[in-house]
Amino acid sequence: NETIKAELGRASWKLLHTILARYPEKPTAEEREALSSYIYLFSRVYPCGECASHFQKLLKKFPPQTSSRVAASQWGCHIHNQVNARLGKKIFDCNTIAEKYQCGC
Amino acid sequence: NETIKAELGRASWKLLHTILARYPEKPTAEEREALSSYIYLFSRVYPCGECASHFQKLLKKFPPQTSSRVAASQWGCHIHNQVNARLGKKIFDCNTIAEKYQCGC
Ligand SMILES: Cc1cc2nc3c(=O)[nH]c(=O)nc-3n(C[C@H](O)[C@H](O)[C@H](O)COP(=O)(O)OP(=O)(O)OC[C@H]3O[C@@H](n4cnc5c(N)ncnc54)[C@H](O)[C@@H]3O)c2cc1C
Ligand SMILES: Cc1cc2nc3c(=O)[nH]c(=O)nc-3n(C[C@H](O)[C@H](O)[C@H](O)COP(=O)(O)OP(=O)(O)OC[C@H]3O[C@@H](n4cnc5c(N)ncnc54)[C@H](O)[C@@H]3O)c2cc1C
């Protein structure tokens, strides 16, 4: 059970950080709205109930930053670090995020 | 590049199928709306542009089925098989989907 939860978490973070890494540098109003809605809906449909409700609280405290690619990616790194801290995991260095997540598409 | 695209695809399918496997058996109107919106937004923010635009066309042909867990999971399996077919991959047996995707949360 813990293994399944961890694998799902890794898959979800990979998708989320890659979405943010490919988010436009200068998003339109529609793109901003789409990203923000996507993140809130993600927090509602996320299959681990305990994780979802904790993440919803984090979103209230740290709403998605959608003004630019850098803002969005740094926000994603920060909120992942909040989860890391809660779970007693290592804090990730957000200066290295742009190198780590690429898509190649 | 192809490796990154494939890893991102695997992560995304895992998340999507697990969401569908944990979707309520008897969803409320709000839950139906949340899942449907999530899927359409996913198709807009998906980081691989070619994949996203192909997936958007598939969604027009095969809109998300949100009436129940079984309907949603079978829809997810079917649409993944549409992508498999296009990429020349093996077709997955949708009768085995309930065993394959669990969350344990
Ligand atoms: C929204 C969400 C909420 C979650 N809530 C819970 C919970 O409440 N309880 C629970 O047990 N599990 C939760 N999880 C799962 C948990 O966060 C981990 O995914 C899981 O424990 C596996 O951890 P991991 O050590 O393999 O690394 P993960 O945290 O899954 O990270 C994967 C990889 O991303 C990189 N990374 C690490 N930190 C960052 C960062 N800040 N920014 C960018 N990249 C980074 C590292 O290379 C790491 O190996 C949640 C997952 C998600 C997506
Ligand atoms: C929305 C979306 C669109 C994509 N579009 C493209 C594209 O246009 N071009 C491109 O090159 N790549 C695309 N990809 C990536 C591609 O679908 C694969 O994820 C990638 O090629 C890796 O394939 P894989 O063989 O490892 O298995 P994947 O297709 O990633 O599947 C992962 C695992 O899921 C299981 N599985 C397989 N089929 C099903 C099914 N029908 N239902 C449930 N479980 C199943 C199997 O165990 C499989 O190993 C897309 C991905 C997504 C999420």
Side-chain angles (χ1 to χ4, degrees):
Chain A
N1 276 12
E2 283 304 313
T3 312
I4 298 177
K5 183 153 83 166
E7 281 177 5
L8 177 70
R10 274 191 287 275
S12 303
W13 288 123
K14 183 194 256 298
L15 173 61
L16 182 63
H17 292 303
T18 308
I19 288 173
L20 301 177
R22 299 285 300 181
Y23 183 66
E25 283 168 15
K26 298 191 173 181
T28 63
E30 285 81 41
E31 285 165 334
R32 295 187 64 170
E33 176 57 29
L35 180 64
S36 181
S37 300
Y38 172 79
I39 292 167
Y40 283 108
L41 286 166
F42 167 74
S43 81
R44 284 179 56 191
V45 301
Y46 194 68
C48 161
E50 169 215 343
C51 309
S53 70
H54 178 249
F55 195 63
Q56 282 163 22
K57 281 187 205 126
L58 280 179
L59 288 179
K60 283 208 181 116
K61 221 164 141 185
F62 306 107
Q65 299 299 305
T66 61
S67 61
S68 70
R69 177 181 297 177
V70 169
S73 305
Q74 290 296 318
W75 169 84
C77 189
H78 175 71
I79 206 147
H80 189 168
N81 273 337
Q82 294 287 323
V83 176
N84 288 342
R86 174 164 176 263
L87 301 178
K89 290 182 195 277
K90 242 180 43 192
I91 298 306
F92 187 87
D93 176 2
C94 294
N95 290 315
T96 66
I97 194 124
E99 295 132 50
K100 189 165 167 70
Y101 295 96
Q102 279 155 14
C103 167
C105 309
Chain B
N1 276 11
E2 283 303 315
T3 312
I4 299 177
K5 183 154 81 167
E7 282 177 4
L8 176 70
R10 274 191 288 276
S12 304
W13 287 123
K14 183 194 259 295
L15 172 62
L16 182 62
H17 292 303
T18 308
I19 288 173
L20 302 177
R22 297 285 301 182
Y23 182 66
E25 284 169 13
K26 299 192 172 179
T28 63
E30 286 81 42
E31 285 166 334
R32 295 187 64 170
E33 177 57 30
L35 180 64
S36 182
S37 300
Y38 172 80
I39 292 167
Y40 282 108
L41 286 165
F42 167 75
S43 82
R44 283 178 58 192
V45 301
Y46 194 68
C48 160
E50 168 214 346
C51 308
S53 70
H54 177 249
F55 195 63
Q56 284 163 21
K57 280 187 205 126
L58 280 179
L59 288 179
K60 282 206 182 119
K61 224 166 139 184
F62 306 106
Q65 299 300 304
T66 61
S67 60
S68 69
R69 177 181 297 175
V70 169
S73 305
Q74 289 297 318
W75 169 84
C77 188
H78 175 72
I79 207 146
H80 189 168
N81 273 338
Q82 295 286 324
V83 175
N84 288 342
R86 175 165 176 263
L87 301 177
K89 290 182 196 277
K90 240 178 48 190
I91 298 306
F92 187 88
D93 176 1
C94 293
N95 290 316
T96 65
I97 193 124
E99 294 132 52
K100 191 168 166 65
Y101 295 96
Q102 280 154 14
C103 165
C105 310

